[in-house]
Amino acid sequence: MRAWLAGWVMAAGACGAAQAEVWAYIDGDGVAHVAPQQVDSRYRRVIGDAPGGNGSEAVPGKTDRAEGLLLWLQIAPEVKALAPLLREAATAHGVDEELLKAVIVVESGFNARAVSPRGALGLMQIMPVSGDRYATPAERRTPAATRLLDPKINVHTGARMLADLERRFGGIDVALAAWNAGEGTVRRHGGKVPDIAETRAHVHLVLELYWALLQERQARRATEMKLLPAR
């Protein structure tokens, strides 16, 4: 998980909030600024229900909270450069391109050289043990610590892993929880998203972005439709 999201989780935990909030904005340099409350008018809510909300943890099409990150995804050169690779991995492994993109922006902010304090590597922040588990025989010839910093290997490995987790756990939300907290943790919680602040924050933000990206894709398709005259 990215440092800024982990920082929010720590703040939320300190407050003892069952459903804390995340507020964020993207500055002119494309840097995400995130806080557990609205610091000033530039910040928009990306996690948490508005006052008076029903407290639901679902993602019912609330695209406004992901608006700042969506804008960054549209303009960031590092995102554009990886678009062909994401399409390739999505097609090869049966995972939505939008889901891969959402995981990457939350995990590493599209920094292919990112290494977390826990040792997770690359775009999708994959642990070496998971990287070895989902590597091809040819990939295993190179140490995980090296190969997972290669964008192509990292994304294909992560796509294989996401597809496998979704098949085994039966849902994207639980697959994302297993990605973040580990498969054993999810099983100990009855095959559901565990009540762990960090994991819930991760799942919520990825799903928020994923849903918004799917809506964006549908909107693009709609604008490309042509009406044919009646015969």
Side-chain angles (χ1 to χ4, degrees), residues 26-225:
I26 307 297
D27 67 20
D29 295 321
V31 177
H33 298 259
V34 181
Q37 66 280 320
Q38 187 176 25
V39 177
D40 57 46
S41 61
R42 297 171 298 178
Y43 285 77
R44 296 180 64 85
R45 184 188 287 107
V46 289
I47 291 292
D49 293 304
N54 60 14
S56 173
E57 293 183 347
V59 183
K62 300 177 183 177
T63 58
D64 58 318
R65 291 184 291 179
E67 184 176 322
L69 290 174
L70 283 173
L71 177 60
W72 177 77
L73 283 169
Q74 292 169 1
I75 63 176
E78 57 267 46
V79 179
K80 293 181 182 296
L82 286 170
L85 171 57
L86 296 181
R87 287 193 292 269
E88 175 187 294
T91 301
H93 307 294
V95 178
D96 279 345
E97 178 185 344
E98 291 80 7
L99 180 58
L100 293 176
K101 187 179 290 186
V103 170
I104 291 171
V105 75
V106 172
E107 289 287 358
S108 70
F110 276 82
N111 177 5
R113 308 295 297 178
V115 180
S116 79
R118 298 177 183 176
L121 299 158
L123 289 167
M124 299 188 74
Q125 291 291 276
I126 300 170
M127 294 296 290
V129 64
S130 297
D132 286 338
R133 178 179 179 184
Y134 289 94
T136 66
E139 289 170 350
R140 290 194 192 97
R141 296 171 189 160
T142 304
T146 300
R147 72 170 182 272
L148 289 174
L149 294 179
D150 179 302
K152 183 171 184 175
I153 292 177
N154 189 285
V155 171
H156 275 275
T157 302
R160 291 184 204 112
M161 183 175 173
L162 274 176
D164 183 52
L165 291 173
E166 189 175 350
R167 281 191 297 268
R168 286 192 287 117
F169 288 105
I172 294 174
D173 57 342
V174 185
L176 292 171
W179 179 285
N180 176 264
E183 298 171 45
T185 301
V186 169
R187 290 195 188 94
R188 286 193 295 274
H189 285 79
K192 299 179 181 179
V193 178
D195 190 16
I196 300 171
E198 176 182 333
T199 300
R200 288 191 175 276
H202 180 274
V203 172
H204 286 192
L205 187 51
V206 172
L207 287 180
E208 187 85 38
L209 285 169
Y210 176 44
W211 183 261
L213 287 166
L214 285 176
Q215 288 187 315
E216 191 178 67
R217 179 176 69 178
Q218 291 301 322
R220 287 198 306 271
R221 286 181 174 177
T223 60
E224 293 168 0
M225 289 177 63

